[in-house]
Amino acid sequence: MRRVFQSSVLVAGSGQGLALVLPQRLSLWGGLDPDTGEIIDRRHPASGENVQGRVLVFPAGRGSSSASSILLEAVRQGTAPAAIITAEPDPILALGAAVAREMYEKAPPIVVLETADYVQLQNDQMITVDKEGFITVEA
């Protein structure tokens, strides 16, 4: 089954990958290893999962403004998610992606999805985010 949702675009771009849906917020600062793409916050339910090449789906970031630098470094090292979908606008993540686009000419798109659509996303669905903010989900 194929579904298409319209999102609000924070950082435009396109990306595709299997969904990694996190049940709660994640601070990239201290929560993500930019060298490997692994979630290293041992208190987070997704600890040990890897975001590299995945479509990261989570409510929003949590905490430190340094999270933008972690996303920037993950983009530089090639360990960043293919796209990021949140339920709330996250200007810190958007900043990291925007700077990555300027510095490295690549960055994951960051989009915000309405709650009714957001809750329909599940782990391991193939998700494509396009430049206009359309999210295509293959179940």
Side-chain angles (χ1 to χ4, degrees), residues 2-138:
R2 181 178 180 202
R3 291 175 286 165
V4 178
F5 304 108
Q6 176 67 60
S7 67
S8 299
V9 177
L10 296 181
V11 177
S14 58
Q16 179 180 35
L18 293 176
L20 176 58
V21 180
L22 306 185
Q24 64 190 47
R25 295 171 179 259
L26 174 69
S27 174
L28 299 188
W29 179 256
L32 180 72
D33 182 347
D35 295 329
T36 64
E38 180 184 343
I39 295 173
I40 57 172
D41 178 348
R42 297 302 173 221
R43 293 166 292 169
H44 196 280
S47 178
E49 293 283 350
N50 196 296
V51 303
Q52 182 176 356
R54 305 283 299 265
V55 174
L56 182 59
V57 180
F58 66 125
R62 179 191 54 174
S64 177
S65 60
S66 298
S68 58
S69 65
I70 298 299
L71 180 58
L72 177 65
E73 182 62 12
V75 169
R76 186 184 76 78
Q77 296 210 41
T79 61
I84 298 174
I85 300 172
T86 64
E88 303 172 18
D90 190 319
I92 293 170
L93 291 176
L95 175 63
V99 172
R101 172 134 320 122
E102 286 297 313
M103 291 183 70
Y104 308 125
E105 298 180 356
K106 61 181 177 177
I110 300 183
V111 298
V112 181
L113 200 52
E114 293 290 328
T115 302
D117 297 332
Y118 176 87
V119 298
Q120 295 182 52
L121 303 181
Q122 299 175 9
N123 269 329
D124 298 322
Q125 293 173 316
M126 179 57 69
I127 296 179
T128 303
V129 177
D130 74 13
K131 292 177 184 178
E132 288 78 38
F134 287 101
I135 298 170
T136 304
V137 179
E138 304 287 340

